[in-house]
Amino acid sequence: NAGVTQTPKFRILKIGQSMTLQCAQDMNHNYMYWYRQDPGMGLKLIYYSVGAGITDKGEVPNGYNVSRSTTEDFPLRLELAAPSQTSVYFCASSYAVRPFSYEQYFGPGTRLTVT
Amino acid sequence: KQEVTQIPAALSVPEGENLVLNCSFTDSAIYNLQWFRQDPGKGLTSLLLIQSSQREQTSGRLNASLDKSSGRSTLYIAASQPGDSATYLCAVDNQGGKLIFGQGTELSVKP
């Protein structure tokens, strides 16, 4: 199993550009998440999904959009990139039966710089 | 609003020492608490997950405890090794999978 994979690993965007960060998991997990980590800080939840077709906002959703058309994939869309979106983005997945969730497995991250 | 705090922010110890990392949280109504390890420039690796009904979990040289009533968790590392050097993050789940993270403790184990 590859676990959680993310592409690209690095990206530099100009202000106002858009891009999609890709995330895929092959563990048949029902829950998937997107986090961002700013330097020296913990992670903050951007969006999450409890299953295909169902998404919800986390703590810091502004400036981002997500979709989940399959169990395996959970792309994160940045529209009109801003310098404040410079960060490292992590995708994660877990198995959960509400309200209980289990270990979250993380991808290697995408380092994004907006200039 | 749930807040998670980790103290100290950084810790340096000589090889072979036993050490304790601390995590505190403000809302005791949690489903579980997870400890993660993060190496520089890498993703997070789950170390231990403690469900709210449990008091501790052990994996090898690691032991994590949970005291919900006092809002505290500790991660005990026995006989530390240079390979244990990393940032350790704790995170609590009180909304069915939505983790709230602390800022981490950066551990350095000197040979």
Side-chain angles (χ1 to χ4, degrees):
Chain A
N1 287 352
V4 179
T5 58
Q6 292 182 239
T7 56
K9 287 186 177 7
F10 304 93
R11 184 73 185 267
I12 298 174
L13 280 183
K14 294 189 187 303
I15 294 171
Q17 288 185 322
S18 300
M19 76 165 293
T20 298
L21 282 65
Q22 301 292 344
C23 174
Q25 55 94 7
D26 62 359
M27 296 174 282
N28 203 30
H29 286 161
N30 51 345
Y31 278 40
M32 294 187 75
Y33 315 82
W34 274 106
Y35 295 90
R36 61 177 285 173
Q37 184 178 33
D38 297 327
M41 305 291 286
L43 282 71
K44 292 188 186 296
L45 183 66
I46 305 171
Y47 270 96
Y48 71 107
S49 168
V50 303
I54 307 170
T55 63
D56 203 354
K57 296 177 181 178
E59 192 178 353
V60 290
N62 291 345
Y64 307 95
N65 278 298
V66 294
S67 60
R68 185 133 179 241
S69 56
T70 67
T71 300
E72 294 78 20
D73 300 296
F74 190 40
L76 177 72
R77 178 85 177 158
L78 278 72
E79 305 282 1
L80 299 174
S84 61
Q85 293 178 303
T86 294
S87 190
V88 182
Y89 292 84
F90 291 102
C91 179
S93 72
S94 74
Y95 176 69
V97 178
R98 268 195 166 166
F100 302 102
S101 67
Y102 300 91
E103 286 175 292
Q104 289 194 18
Y105 293 83
F106 281 74
T110 294
R111 188 174 298 272
L112 176 67
T113 302
V114 182
T115 63
Chain B
K1 180 185 172 185
Q2 178 73 274
E3 292 183 1
V4 181
T5 304
Q6 291 185 247
I7 295 173
L11 181 64
S12 181
V13 300
E15 182 178 2
E17 256 195 28
N18 302 325
L19 59 100
V20 174
L21 306 180
N22 296 296
C23 174
S24 61
F25 47 95
T26 55
D27 183 350
S28 63
I30 65 171
Y31 292 115
N32 64 55
L33 182 145
Q34 276 190 255
W35 282 95
F36 294 90
R37 169 185 173 135
Q38 185 175 29
D39 293 289
K42 304 289 187 185
L44 280 68
T45 301
S46 179
L47 297 173
L48 290 163
L49 180 148
I50 310 176
Q51 297 290 358
S52 62
S53 58
Q54 297 173 318
R55 295 298 301 267
E56 65 178 323
Q57 281 285 342
T58 297
S59 175
R61 293 183 295 109
L62 306 180
N63 176 277
S65 68
L66 174 63
D67 184 343
K68 275 179 43 177
S69 61
S70 67
R72 292 179 186 275
S73 175
T74 61
L75 179 67
Y76 175 82
I77 303 177
S80 58
Q81 303 170 358
D84 294 330
S85 297
T87 296
Y88 291 79
L89 294 154
C90 76
V92 299
D93 175 5
N94 64 346
Q95 295 187 59
K98 295 163 69 174
L99 292 181
I100 305 295
F101 281 83
Q103 293 184 331
T105 294
E106 185 177 354
L107 173 65
S108 176
V109 181
K110 305 293 187 185

